[in-house]
Amino acid sequence: MPVIRLFSPAPGPGAAVLEQLADDVTGLLGIPRGHCWLWWQQLPPGTFHRPEWRDPDGTPAPVGFVVCKETYSTSQVGELLRLLQQRLGDLLGVPREEIYLTVQRATAGEVLVRDQVWSADGAGAGGDLAGDDGRTDMTDGALTDLVPIARVHNDRREILDDNWGEVASVIRLDAGRFTPEALLALDSFSHLEVVFHFHLVPPHKVQEGARHPRNNPDWPRAGIFAQRGKNRPNRIGVSRCRLVKTEGLDVHVVGLDAVDGTPVLDIKPYLRQFGPREEVVQPAWVDDLMRHYY
């Protein structure tokens, strides 16, 4: 759970803007909404020494201090800093290079979050918080470097199960990491496979056993790995969609079943040679489930 404090002699941009910035952070890190705390503190005259802020006609770009768990990888912290710099620059209309940010990594056993002391090894008071913010425990050589490459932009704000076939989306690559060259020749393919994170699924709703798909008692219970529900252990989604066009860092698609703000982990062109070579077999309840999906 990142904690972010921003300081400037200028008044804050408003609660709605700060809330959106916090949502941007949680979307980037793949943690639930509400798991980022953000403050803006306006500094009165005479309480700071920064030459850029003395110019009444200048742009008082904020400085910021970010506290986050030490289990976040260096690449994740870098992405977080670049995201904050980009969003603040755009929101406030200030030069990004004048926004100074620093990170302090929290030490296990010294962080009290939601009434529990976070511990990397589970020995801390109140239990192990590793993974409580939606991330995987980073011990025992677990994968640690999954950083979103893009985000989804569309009109679907709510998690709905059906009617994705005509949804138009833009997958916008992170401008801090990529140039349009990353998409070179992608438009020679008709369809894509998109790997993304179900960032709106809270950890306590993850399923690890069996359940009725969509909780429909008319369908038989199936293990979480025998269905494509979003409440899966690592909350990773894979979707096939139609490519409309590429434009700069934007990938325009139709039929992507991901809501607005979804962090994208990878984009691959779909190759028909990767489709099954044999007849596809599936139970009858799947046909019922997918009847109105697309």
Side-chain angles (χ1 to χ4, degrees):
M1 174 182 288
V3 178
I4 303 169
R5 295 180 66 100
L6 301 170
F7 298 87
S8 172
V17 171
L18 296 179
E19 181 179 0
Q20 180 59 56
L21 183 57
D23 287 347
D24 290 341
V25 171
T26 56
L28 173 73
L29 297 175
I31 60 180
R33 292 185 64 188
H35 282 238
C36 172
W37 297 340
L38 197 153
W39 287 266
W40 180 286
Q41 183 171 340
Q42 182 178 10
L43 301 176
T47 61
F48 57 85
H49 173 71
R50 183 179 175 184
E52 297 94 328
W53 289 351
R54 294 178 179 176
D55 183 2
D57 298 324
T59 51
V63 296
F65 301 89
V66 182
V67 179
C68 63
K69 289 183 177 181
E70 63 180 354
T71 49
Y72 290 162
S73 69
T74 300
S75 62
Q76 288 167 335
V77 171
E79 289 300 312
L80 173 58
L81 291 175
R82 283 191 288 270
L83 172 73
L84 289 172
Q85 185 184 50
Q86 176 182 338
R87 295 289 192 273
L88 288 169
D90 294 343
L91 290 170
L92 304 175
V94 300
R96 296 178 186 178
E97 62 271 14
E98 292 186 10
I99 299 174
Y100 295 92
L101 303 168
T102 185
V103 169
Q104 176 184 353
R105 293 176 184 267
T107 303
E110 297 180 359
V111 183
L112 180 70
V113 180
R114 301 189 188 277
D115 202 34
Q116 290 183 307
V117 176
W118 169 63
S119 171
D121 58 6
D128 183 8
L129 282 192
D132 183 63
D133 60 359
R135 304 196 62 81
T136 303
D137 186 359
M138 301 302 177
T139 59
D140 299 328
L143 189 63
T144 63
D145 59 351
L146 284 180
V147 178
I149 62 166
R151 298 187 71 179
V152 174
H153 299 270
N154 59 29
D155 293 330
R156 293 288 289 262
R157 304 291 196 274
E158 299 180 53
I159 301 177
L160 301 173
D161 288 325
D162 291 315
N163 303 313
W164 291 99
E166 301 305 317
V167 174
S169 301
V170 175
I171 304 172
R172 182 160 297 149
L173 291 183
D174 181 355
R177 297 174 59 193
F178 302 100
T179 68
E181 190 174 59
L183 300 176
L184 185 64
L186 185 63
D187 58 2
S188 61
F189 296 87
S190 65
H191 291 78
L192 307 177
E193 287 184 313
V194 180
V195 182
F196 56 91
H197 188 250
F198 290 117
H199 67 302
L200 298 183
V201 175
H204 69 272
K205 289 192 176 181
V206 165
Q207 301 284 325
E208 296 180 343
R211 66 167 187 172
H212 297 283
R214 294 193 185 181
N215 296 316
N216 186 341
D218 294 333
W219 295 332
R221 292 176 71 245
I224 190 60
F225 298 125
Q227 51 185 290
R228 296 179 67 98
K230 61 186 176 295
N231 297 51
R232 23 199 346 98
N234 281 325
R235 294 176 292 168
I236 291 177
V238 180
S239 181
R240 187 177 303 166
C241 55
R242 177 167 59 89
L243 173 62
V244 177
K245 65 177 179 178
T246 61
E247 186 176 39
L249 293 175
D250 290 350
V251 181
H252 295 256
V253 300
V254 171
L256 175 64
D257 54 343
V259 298
D260 183 67
T262 294
V264 174
L265 303 176
D266 201 2
I267 301 170
K268 302 173 184 285
Y270 176 72
L271 302 148
R272 58 175 174 266
Q273 288 84 355
F274 279 92
R277 291 177 292 174
E278 301 81 18
E279 180 185 1
V280 175
V281 176
Q282 60 189 33
W285 63 264
V286 173
D287 293 329
D288 293 337
L289 183 149
M290 296 297 296
R291 194 174 309 281
H292 303 293
Y293 195 83
Y294 288 112

